[in-house]
Amino acid sequence: MTEETPGFDEKPDVPSGASSDDAEPKAATPSDEEAAAPAGDVPQTAALTAQLDQVRTALNERTADLQRLQAEYQNYRRRVERDRVMVKEVAAAGLLTELLPVLDDVGRAREHGELVGGFKSVAESLETVVAKLGLQQFGKEGEPFDPTIHEALMHSYAPDVTETTCVAILQPGYRIGERTIRPARVAVAEPQPGATPAAAKEEKADDEESGGTEEV
């Protein structure tokens, strides 16, 4: 009895009732869960977008807070600097106010030719020191009268002025920066009531002269 050796051409046993197609291996196909995976990325993308919007909003708020703090700090620095300058001016004004009578004596001595020798050196040194502290003298003859910086001690009328004018400086004024620590004490003159100012007289004379020249 001869043994039969199964060859490669033999087909595998197929259960009864099964078709030949059932015996063939099926090709790999995506499952339902794998097919639905891309659709799951949409909620994830929306969540990331929402988180990004929140981060941007928070960043804008922090940036605005930083800008506001920076502006407040700059205002604080300017206010401190202004107060520092003001305190310095007030302290210097208090000291220099006490020295004004001495400066007046120096000025009178200079006008009378008495500022000589060692007294002259001391006076010039004093004037140099007060100038370094910011003291400025003002008040000149012939300038218009300004009640904010002048104090009128004498009053008169003059035909050669067209407005209230300082005709004599009795005591010079002093200021530190924009702060006036003593107004200039002056004598003022006003135009005479009803008098034609000198400038108007000259202008009228010029008009009459030019008019007479044109006549033939």
Side-chain angles (χ1 to χ4, degrees):
M1 184 174 184
T2 305
E3 292 181 0
E4 294 182 358
T5 304
F8 292 100
D9 293 336
E10 292 182 359
K11 296 182 178 179
D13 296 337
V14 178
S16 59
S19 63
S20 59
D21 294 338
D22 295 337
E24 295 291 335
K26 294 183 179 181
T29 57
S31 62
D32 295 340
E33 295 179 8
E34 293 177 347
D41 293 341
V42 176
Q44 184 177 4
T45 302
L48 292 175
T49 302
Q51 292 179 0
L52 181 59
D53 292 339
Q54 293 177 356
V55 171
R56 287 175 177 173
T57 302
L59 179 60
N60 293 334
E61 291 177 353
R62 300 292 84 76
T63 302
D65 292 341
L66 180 60
Q67 292 175 346
R68 183 173 61 256
L69 289 175
Q70 186 176 8
E72 292 177 355
Y73 177 68
Q74 293 296 335
N75 292 334
Y76 169 76
R77 288 187 58 185
R78 285 193 291 266
R79 186 167 59 253
V80 169
E81 180 64 19
R82 184 176 62 250
D83 293 343
R84 185 185 68 82
V85 173
M86 184 179 299
V87 169
K88 181 179 178 181
E89 288 184 356
V90 170
L95 171 62
L96 295 174
T97 300
E98 300 297 327
L99 294 176
L100 293 185
V102 180
L103 295 175
D104 291 337
D105 292 338
V106 170
R108 283 189 290 267
R110 181 178 286 112
E111 291 176 357
H112 292 87
E114 299 175 357
L115 197 63
V116 294
F119 180 47
K120 179 180 180 181
S121 299
V122 173
E124 291 177 349
S125 298
L126 176 62
E127 291 173 341
T128 301
V129 170
V130 297
K132 288 182 179 180
L133 292 176
L135 186 67
Q136 300 176 355
Q137 186 183 96
F138 65 90
K140 294 181 180 179
E141 294 182 5
E143 64 184 7
F145 176 75
D146 184 352
T148 62
I149 60 174
H150 296 138
E151 180 181 352
L153 300 182
M154 299 177 63
H155 178 270
S156 62
Y157 294 96
D160 56 345
V161 296
T162 59
E163 60 181 340
T164 305
T165 306
C166 301
V167 294
I169 306 300
L170 306 178
Q171 278 186 333
Y174 290 96
R175 67 165 62 96
I176 299 178
E178 300 298 327
R179 179 190 298 271
T180 300
I181 62 175
R182 190 181 76 182
R185 291 164 180 169
V186 301
V188 299
E190 291 182 337
Q192 291 181 349
T196 303
K201 288 183 179 180
E202 292 179 0
E203 183 178 356
K204 183 178 180 180
D206 292 339
D207 293 341
E208 291 177 353
E209 184 178 354
S210 60
T213 304
E214 292 176 358
E215 293 179 359
V216 179

